[in-house]
Amino acid sequence: MISSLALLLLQGASTLPQPHWPSTFVADYVSDDKHTTGYYASDTSPGVGASRITFEDGSGDHLCSYYHTKTPCEQLTTGGFRYLYFPNLPDCCKCCTYATGSYLCGGPVGPRWMSNATGNLIYEGKEVILGRACHKWGIQGIFPTHMNYYFQDVETGLPCGLDGYNYLRTPDEPADDQYLFKVGSVNLTVPHSTFDVPQLCKAARYCGGKVCAAGPDVRQFV
């Protein structure tokens, strides 16, 4: 027989808000940690699997800043590759692949990361993000002593933003992957053209260096 205390605990757990990451959406963001703005687009529906993050200035991003600073940058993840695209220079290179090779990078973030299959998702209450109340979850990532966070609008259930631990070259140079979505900017319809690979990137070299791969089987990351 279930005790009264256990029953109350079960009832309490069932009433906790549930996180939801849309399979397709685009939103304008601001990032205090990266000191820039841009848009975050994702489509992980069957047959697509792509994301695009633009930075008005990529100087505060771990990947972009290794190659160029004080210029716009885009991270385009599609077709098995993550491209770094600098439209104003212009320049483009393949940072890594999530399809083949030994140096695999993460593909587009989809709803599965909110499934809590490994028990690493913790509800932490509410927080105000850009003037609206949002639910907050902590997610244990690859850095055991640093949590990542997801925020979801209390009223609409749409994403408010995310904040993933990161830094530029060393931990003394914090540069979290923080994207706080502007109120009213989240759209669940994303044109397929959003994820088109620029012509310059189609035959692009591998980026190389210490933050990206020099080839599908060459890992230089430190």
Side-chain angles (χ1 to χ4, degrees):
M1 180 179 293
I2 300 177
S3 69
S4 299
L5 177 59
L7 183 60
L8 287 173
L9 290 173
L10 287 172
Q11 290 174 340
S14 66
T15 60
L16 286 176
Q18 297 302 306
H20 173 66
W21 180 265
S23 60
T24 303
F25 78 97
V26 61
D28 297 324
Y29 76 83
V30 298
S31 180
D32 298 329
D33 289 0
K34 290 185 181 295
H35 309 291
T36 193
T37 60
Y39 72 79
Y40 187 111
S42 177
D43 188 343
T44 55
S45 58
V48 183
S51 68
R52 192 174 207 136
I53 307 172
T54 69
F55 306 89
E56 184 177 331
D57 180 356
S59 301
D61 180 70
H62 173 70
L63 297 179
C64 296
S65 65
Y66 186 85
Y67 303 97
H68 302 289
T69 57
K70 299 181 180 179
T71 190
C73 176
E74 299 183 9
Q75 289 188 27
L76 173 61
T77 305
T78 186
F81 296 100
R82 179 179 298 174
Y83 299 92
L84 300 183
Y85 177 47
F86 302 88
N88 286 7
L89 296 182
D91 188 23
C92 186
C93 60
K94 297 173 183 173
C95 181
C96 49
T97 174
Y98 55 95
T100 61
S102 59
Y103 177 28
L104 296 176
C105 57
V109 175
R112 192 169 62 177
W113 82 297
M114 288 285 107
S115 67
N116 201 25
T118 58
N120 62 347
L121 191 70
I122 303 170
Y123 181 64
E124 298 194 3
K126 298 177 183 177
E127 187 167 318
V128 176
I129 302 294
L130 301 182
R132 66 197 185 279
C134 301
H135 295 298
K136 177 182 180 180
W137 287 268
I139 304 110
Q140 184 69 60
I142 61 174
F143 298 97
T145 58
H146 298 277
M147 296 290 283
N148 304 308
Y149 298 98
Y150 173 60
F151 307 95
Q152 182 173 291
D153 195 304
V154 170
E155 292 188 4
T156 67
L158 295 173
C160 291
L162 62 159
D163 189 342
Y165 175 73
N166 209 340
Y167 52 82
L168 291 181
R169 306 283 79 82
T170 73
D172 293 329
E173 302 173 288
D176 281 2
D177 294 327
Q178 180 202 57
Y179 309 102
L180 305 180
F181 303 140
K182 295 181 181 180
V183 177
S185 75
V186 179
N187 191 327
L188 299 181
T189 301
V190 185
H192 290 307
S193 60
T194 302
F195 309 107
D196 286 349
V197 178
Q199 189 64 37
L200 182 66
C201 298
K202 291 182 178 179
R205 69 194 186 281
Y206 271 87
C207 301
K210 293 184 178 181
V211 298
C212 288
D217 294 299
V218 183
R219 179 171 182 167
Q220 298 182 350
F221 180 80
V222 294

